[in-house]
Amino acid sequence: MKSDEIMDIALRRGFIYPSSEIYGGISGFYDYGHLGTLMRRKWEDTWRKHYLSLNPNYFEVDATNIMPKNVFIGSGHLENFTDPLTECEKCHSRFRADHLVEECLERCAEGLSAEEMSGLIKESEIPCPKCGGKLLDVKMFNMMFELSVGSTGDSETAYLRPETAQGAFLNFKRSFNTLRGKLPIGLAIIGRAYRNEISPRQGFYRLREFNQAELQIFFDPDTIDEHPDFEKIKDVSLRMFPLQNRSSGEVDEVKASELHKNYGIPKFYIYHLVKIQEFYLDKMNFPKELFRFRELSEDERAFYNKIHWDVELYTESLGGYKEMGGLHYRTDYDLSGHQKASGEKLEVNIEGKKMVPHVLELSFGVDRNFWTLLDVFYTDEGDRKLISLPKEVAPFRAGVFPLQKKEELENIAKNIYERLSKWFDLFYDDSGSIGRRYRRQDEIGTPFGITVDFQTIEDNTVTIRERDSMEQKRVKVEEIWKNI
RNA sequence: GCGGUCAUAGUGUAGUGGUCUAGCACCUGAGCCUUCCAAGCUCAUGACGCGGGUUCAAAUCCCGCUGACCGCACCA
């Protein structure tokens, strides 16, 4: 299976490892090895460059992973991130208690406490939908990791953040002021988030501790149907998978301008769809057939997301199209929620116009994107395994090799390695045959091999070997940097 | 959480109570050879997931834990 082959390389070469492995590991947690760390950092750098350059008023900020309980009352996570579960006494199947109450009693279960739901289930004698057995008391299961901050006597309940986004909302007011009161402003956060999944499956896809890269754009809702650069992108074809295509499975290619005209999606939203697609197709080189925007139905999306399309990539090892990110129009849900819960005014005043800005969220799961790069670009040619990673995200840009282990060649090669290392991540290797060393680099996605041979001594040229074609060309040492 | 299957070097595996001081292949390291694509030769490193039990004796049988995989449920 492809996921086994990728995991094999990942473990053997140093991309990812199970966390706390020497103690037996822990489900849903992975560590990054030396190659994985290089690669993830490069993915994040590429992400930064791409999304922060969309507007001079977009910046990266950073926020803590631990936040006090009240934050999550304001954000709605304490209420909405909690699932009421009930278990069957007989067959031990577990069910969402609120869903059962809604289905069986045809009443709204929103806002009911665990006790109220237990009472309703007992009164109405709702049986186990599977075996008809008796259902036990409802227990609240919250997906957030709970912590107590401070010494036990006066400790305060806090949580590990379940998404990086909250940091941007909490810092909105100060950021807005320090960035001199302009809209739109964008606050990006790249960092860890935590969800206590009941049972994480699919290896690296659903993690309990994971990395997110998110950009929260705060804008004036009256301007949602305009974008200064819309003209430039109006003819771009977007790969859309709207709700009505669910049964056919077909992806429509729709021009940005038509998306506006025929589907009524606002221009500000469309502009960012275009930029996201550009990131995946042009920066990450994914074949366009593997990419699509998937529209979410009302019950799939969070209630506060007014418009929600997921970014999906076809990932063989994960069994089909999988969510890599999303573009969420969150309205003023977050800022208004925090304004209400904190008592702090989060509305802004621009030239006499008072408003709570609306939020467009670009949200990406870093680890999933990382895994999918390995999946999509991995090829087993039989006698050669390679990962055709785009050079921007490959852990190493090039390998530097002396053709043979001879001092006169090694000296030149080491010298090239040292000089170019200021600009590129390189890997120096002088052991084994030259072919073996090329193959080793192919397997970890290194795009180029720079080889010092006997001709180098005479005319100061080296060969540069390209990973995918295995073709070589001879260039002057001073011009290597232009060719890799 | 439940049910099923499983756990031996970095990876893939052999091993069915004593022949295990745990075999093999690939990988890795040192050396020889080698003027560009996994060649060859020599040598070397490295493993029974963790904890308990049964037994004269456990990689092997039993129990618990942890983890992986597959179903069910869960997945703002």
Side-chain angles (χ1 to χ4, degrees):
Chain A
M1 255 181 67
K2 195 170 185 183
S3 60
D4 295 331
E5 289 176 53
I6 297 166
M7 195 49 100
D8 171 33
I9 293 176
L11 291 169
R12 199 154 40 75
R13 305 308 302 273
F15 285 94
I16 52 173
Y17 312 118
S19 166
S20 305
E21 197 181 6
I22 64 168
Y23 285 97
I26 172 163
S27 188
F29 295 86
Y30 279 88
D31 291 348
Y32 281 81
H34 71 291
L35 295 181
T37 304
L38 275 171
M39 181 170 150
R40 198 186 85 218
R41 198 181 74 207
K42 289 183 180 188
W43 186 92
E44 290 171 352
D45 282 342
T46 310
W47 189 94
R48 278 186 184 96
K49 273 184 213 140
H50 183 79
Y51 291 104
L52 296 183
S53 70
L54 295 181
N55 186 306
N57 209 32
Y58 291 178
F59 292 93
E60 184 178 1
V61 296
D62 200 9
T64 57
N65 291 9
I66 296 173
M67 294 168 181
K69 187 175 183 174
N70 287 340
V71 167
F72 301 105
I73 293 173
S75 73
H77 282 95
L78 261 177
E79 196 183 326
N80 297 306
F81 230 56
T82 303
D83 291 335
L85 293 179
T86 175
E87 194 178 317
C88 171
E89 196 179 46
K90 231 162 90 188
C91 70
H92 297 287
S93 301
R94 291 178 138 207
F95 305 93
R96 285 277 299 265
D98 52 341
H99 291 176
L100 282 179
V101 168
E102 279 173 14
E103 271 166 42
C104 302
L105 304 181
E106 285 173 5
R107 57 162 290 177
C108 180
E110 221 180 280
L112 292 181
S113 71
E115 290 76 30
E116 286 168 320
M117 276 186 263
S118 297
L120 282 170
I121 288 174
K122 227 176 258 172
E123 263 171 46
S124 324
E125 294 178 348
I126 299 177
C128 168
K130 218 164 140 195
C131 72
K134 199 184 155 198
L135 293 171
L136 297 169
D137 278 350
V138 175
K139 277 185 195 143
M140 287 297 189
F141 184 83
N142 193 279
M143 297 261 292
M144 289 193 291
F145 286 98
E146 194 177 306
L147 305 160
S148 59
V149 173
S151 65
T152 38
D154 55 357
S155 65
E156 182 180 357
T157 300
Y159 296 90
L160 286 170
R161 62 183 180 191
E163 57 174 9
T164 55
Q166 296 308 320
F169 305 138
L170 302 182
N171 286 301
F172 167 73
K173 198 176 179 186
R174 280 211 180 267
S175 299
F176 180 78
N177 287 334
T178 50
L179 287 166
R180 311 204 321 250
K182 283 181 284 188
L183 288 182
I185 73 169
L187 300 177
I189 296 181
I190 299 178
R192 301 267 172 163
Y194 305 81
R195 289 176 199 181
N196 199 0
E197 302 280 355
I198 297 172
S199 121
R201 284 282 172 87
Q202 306 175 72
F204 206 57
Y205 183 73
R206 254 175 84 202
L207 302 173
R208 285 180 168 136
E209 173 169 340
F210 55 101
N211 293 278
Q212 286 187 310
E214 298 192 307
L215 172 64
Q216 312 295 328
I217 301 167
F218 302 86
F219 64 97
D220 176 350
D222 290 343
T223 66
I224 190 163
D225 208 23
E226 39 194 91
H227 192 285
D229 291 331
F230 193 79
E231 273 301 299
K232 287 187 200 158
I233 56 98
K234 70 179 191 332
D235 292 327
V236 175
S237 271
L238 289 158
R239 293 185 51 82
M240 308 301 280
F241 184 58
L243 280 172
Q244 64 264 26
N245 288 26
R246 283 286 171 92
S247 50
S248 70
E250 267 170 51
V251 174
D252 294 335
E253 299 249 358
V254 187
K255 276 191 178 176
S257 52
E258 287 170 30
L259 210 51
H260 179 251
K261 243 183 277 161
N262 302 344
Y263 293 77
I265 302 179
K267 287 182 179 175
F268 194 72
Y269 190 94
I270 295 171
Y271 178 80
H272 290 91
L273 285 176
V274 169
K275 291 297 159 181
I276 290 170
Q277 182 173 295
E278 201 176 285
F279 178 78
Y280 281 94
L281 302 191
D282 302 340
K283 296 277 163 68
M284 292 295 151
N285 285 341
F286 283 110
K288 71 170 187 179
E289 312 81 62
L290 303 184
F291 177 93
R292 70 182 187 190
F293 288 111
R294 176 175 186 265
E295 185 180 17
L296 269 73
S297 66
E298 205 163 326
D299 50 319
E300 284 171 319
R301 61 180 197 241
F303 65 92
Y304 49 80
N305 280 336
K306 211 164 161 188
I307 310 175
H308 182 162
W309 292 71
D310 272 347
V311 178
E312 293 195 328
L313 283 171
Y314 189 88
T315 308
E316 196 187 324
S317 63
L318 298 173
Y321 280 101
K322 287 286 172 178
E323 177 193 350
M324 296 293 130
L327 183 59
H328 315 133
Y329 175 31
R330 298 175 69 129
T331 69
D332 66 339
Y333 172 80
D334 303 282
L335 288 183
S336 292
H338 284 303
Q339 177 168 267
K340 202 174 155 205
S342 67
E344 190 82 15
K345 264 223 165 92
L346 296 179
E347 63 177 17
V348 303
N349 185 338
I350 293 183
E351 291 169 11
K353 186 174 165 187
K354 278 190 181 175
M355 76 187 106
V356 174
H358 280 207
V359 169
L360 183 65
E361 173 186 71
L362 287 72
S363 171
F364 302 87
V366 177
D367 317 273
R368 295 170 171 192
N369 277 275
F370 174 96
W371 176 267
T372 299
L373 280 165
L374 297 180
D375 174 285
V376 168
F377 290 110
Y378 170 78
T379 320
D380 187 350
E381 292 184 343
D383 65 334
R384 182 167 92 114
K385 287 177 177 158
L386 73 156
I387 309 179
S388 306
L389 293 171
K391 62 184 181 182
E392 286 75 18
V393 297
F396 296 117
R397 178 63 67 91
V400 181
F401 318 114
L403 183 63
Q404 284 174 20
K405 216 169 178 180
K406 291 217 161 71
E407 213 185 325
E408 63 266 41
L409 300 181
E410 288 179 273
N411 287 342
I412 302 172
K414 278 179 184 159
N415 188 262
I416 291 171
Y417 170 80
E418 277 164 27
R419 278 161 49 198
L420 285 176
S421 285
K422 281 179 199 151
W423 311 101
F424 302 103
D425 287 302
L426 302 175
F427 188 75
Y428 182 85
D429 192 356
D430 60 11
S431 84
S433 73
I434 189 69
R436 165 167 300 285
R437 284 177 271 163
Y438 287 146
R439 301 298 163 97
R440 271 201 278 248
Q441 293 307 310
D442 291 339
E443 198 182 49
I444 59 169
T446 309
F448 300 103
I450 300 164
T451 305
V452 172
D453 59 12
F454 293 95
Q455 196 182 324
T456 312
I457 301 170
E458 282 157 32
D459 64 6
N460 206 33
T461 60
V462 295
T463 61
I464 294 182
R465 181 255 196 193
E466 199 272 328
R467 177 193 60 208
D468 299 342
S469 63
M470 296 199 279
E471 275 166 14
Q472 287 176 298
K473 59 181 174 182
R474 192 161 270 283
V475 303
K476 287 202 157 69
V477 167
E478 310 81 68
E479 291 179 356
I480 295 173
W481 65 274
K482 284 190 214 163
N483 288 282
I484 63 172

